[in-house]
Amino acid sequence: MRKVVLTPELIHRVESDHRFRLAATATSYPDWREDALCIAAPDPDLFFPVAPEGLEPARRVCGRCPVAGQCLAEALSRAEIDGVWGGTTTSERRVMRAVWRQSHPLAAASV
């Protein structure tokens, strides 16, 4: 996996992403998963699409989810690589994680 080079432009782009802002401002609570819309999804594989065109159904669910920020924060903190978390793809999270580690130093220790 290539290392992400953080430029001021890249940091700005990530910090401007509404999903990243939701994660950065999310208040974690122990049972947040119980409020996640993906729990009620008829097909859990929806969040593990094989082809890029399969992302949109999962993103639509995440876009309505009241805990999408907590979900993405968890994925960034744990360096989750598989699936759709908080409406993001693996490659999007890889870039977001590099910025996340700067503003959440404890996240770096969790890998």
Side-chain angles (χ1 to χ4, degrees):
M1 188 180 315
R2 293 179 325 192
K3 181 179 169 133
V4 175
V5 178
L6 292 176
T7 63
E9 294 81 18
L10 180 60
I11 292 169
H12 176 72
R13 189 179 85 215
V14 168
E15 289 177 342
S16 297
D17 188 307
H18 73 281
R19 298 165 303 177
F20 184 85
R21 288 195 315 266
L22 275 176
T25 59
T27 303
S28 185
Y29 55 97
D31 300 327
W32 68 266
R33 285 180 183 83
E34 293 176 11
D35 297 329
L37 294 182
C38 58
I39 296 293
D43 182 9
D45 289 337
L46 178 77
F47 299 93
F48 297 91
V50 179
E53 54 274 5
L55 289 169
E56 285 315 306
R59 284 188 167 171
R60 280 194 296 275
V61 172
C62 295
R64 297 186 325 267
C65 186
V67 292
Q70 287 87 344
C71 176
L72 180 53
E74 176 94 4
L76 294 172
S77 293
R78 291 191 343 209
E80 210 41 76
I81 57 170
D82 294 321
V84 175
W85 290 75
T88 62
T89 65
T90 299
S91 58
E92 289 171 326
R93 283 193 309 279
R94 186 172 67 79
V95 175
M96 286 180 177
R97 176 142 169 81
V99 176
W100 183 265
R101 289 176 65 170
Q102 282 190 337
S103 56
H104 297 82
L106 294 178
S110 68
V111 180

